[in-house]
Amino acid sequence: MGGADCNSTDFGAAAYWDARYSSPSTGGKGRGGFFDWYQAYPALRPILRACVPTSSRVLMLGCGNSLLSEDMVKDGYEDIVNMDISSVVIEQMKEKHMDIPQLTYMQMDVRDMSLFADGSFDCVIDKGTLDAMMCGDDAPHGASRMLEEVARIMRPGGIYMLITYGAPKERLTLLNQARCRWEVELYIMRKFEIHYLHSEGAPDPSILFLPCYLLLCYNIFMCMRYLLHPLGTTDSNP
């Protein structure tokens, strides 16, 4: 995603997402809908449970109105901070999850997460947010700023879990531009059609399915931040 793969919409703009989440077609205006891009928790659970302890402090980038964080809490995760550029969806999700103390919600731009101190999180989960940034008016510079911020707020040995449509070569180029050394593992989840979590107000399925002859690949990058030692040696163990 990015460049020729994007239309004229600025997916990095708060105005676009505020309008989207205010629309009844996406669960806004009191309709209470949820929508998960790319993959829902059951598909991601094996990787998450293998790599991210339930005691980890987790940041969910571009949370939208996804059920991923709620499902993670139901599965034992204890501390998930959810952020999105849209104040509209943040207020909606605060109300929906007001009785789940393990979930907090903050309106913030991923290009400037200065409210978080360095090394604040054990894990950062990105399910389509980098892809959206690559379709922003300031791409690829906005995406690079986002990755620099992700690297800054991760604890040494922490994990950045990136779920993306982007080709591995393109995404690795972006990751290598961030001011951090990454140890990267790539997982590819293959499906012949896109399975979405539907609820009242979810987008029309007819616009969400690729032609059946296309094999869709979800690329999942697990990026571990190196531990840096005074003498210049490195250790990738958390």
Side-chain angles (χ1 to χ4, degrees):
M1 186 176 289
D5 295 324
C6 299
N7 57 28
S8 59
T9 302
D10 181 6
F11 289 104
Y16 168 80
W17 294 106
D18 282 345
R20 180 182 177 89
Y21 289 119
S22 296
S23 169
S25 66
T26 53
K29 295 185 178 179
R31 297 191 65 169
F34 295 93
F35 181 71
D36 264 298
W37 295 96
Y38 297 2
Q39 293 283 353
Y41 184 60
L44 299 174
R45 184 182 186 274
I47 297 176
L48 276 167
R49 291 304 299 258
C51 300
V52 183
T54 56
S55 59
S56 301
R57 189 175 192 224
V58 177
L59 176 64
M60 193 72 63
L61 293 181
C63 62
N65 55 6
S66 167
L67 281 174
L68 180 60
S69 295
E70 178 182 339
D71 288 341
M72 288 177 66
V73 167
K74 290 176 180 177
D75 200 28
Y77 284 89
E78 301 169 3
D79 185 3
I80 303 177
V81 178
N82 301 272
M83 58 165 290
D84 199 283
I85 197 171
S86 170
S87 59
V88 172
V89 79
I90 288 297
E91 291 305 312
Q92 291 173 357
M93 297 302 280
K94 279 183 179 179
E95 182 177 354
K96 291 172 182 176
H97 292 145
M98 61 188 304
D99 296 326
I100 305 178
Q102 298 93 330
L103 298 178
T104 57
Y105 287 87
M106 303 177 67
Q107 189 278 330
M108 197 179 301
D109 190 325
V110 293
R111 292 162 288 197
D112 178 10
M113 295 187 279
S114 54
L115 287 179
F116 298 133
D118 295 359
S120 293
F121 295 94
D122 301 297
C123 176
V124 178
I125 299 176
D126 172 355
K127 190 154 65 78
T129 300
L130 183 63
D131 288 359
M133 295 304 300
M134 286 300 292
C135 288
D137 285 350
D138 62 350
H141 305 295
S144 295
R145 290 202 303 272
M146 168 189 149
L147 289 172
E148 290 176 4
E149 282 288 82
V150 168
R152 181 186 64 79
I153 63 176
M154 282 172 56
R155 293 171 182 159
I159 288 176
Y160 172 42
M161 183 176 181
L162 170 62
I163 301 100
T164 174
Y165 275 135
K169 182 178 179 180
E170 296 175 356
R171 291 300 179 255
L172 284 170
T173 298
L174 275 174
L175 289 168
N176 289 333
Q177 291 174 354
R179 295 176 183 175
C180 183
R181 295 185 62 188
W182 305 101
E183 178 183 292
V184 180
E185 295 181 3
L186 172 63
Y187 301 83
I188 298 178
M189 302 180 70
R190 299 176 182 270
K191 284 181 177 288
F192 285 96
E193 62 182 15
I194 309 173
H195 294 282
Y196 285 88
L197 179 64
H198 291 289
S199 64
E200 182 182 6
D204 181 356
S206 66
I207 67 173
L208 298 177
F209 288 86
L210 297 181
C212 61
Y213 56 83
L214 289 183
L215 179 65
L216 176 66
C217 296
Y218 293 103
N219 298 318
I220 300 181
F221 293 86
M222 299 294 289
C223 308
M224 181 177 291
R225 181 179 174 183
Y226 277 100
L227 295 177
L228 300 180
H229 296 282
L231 297 180
T233 58
T234 61
D235 181 357
S236 62
N237 294 319

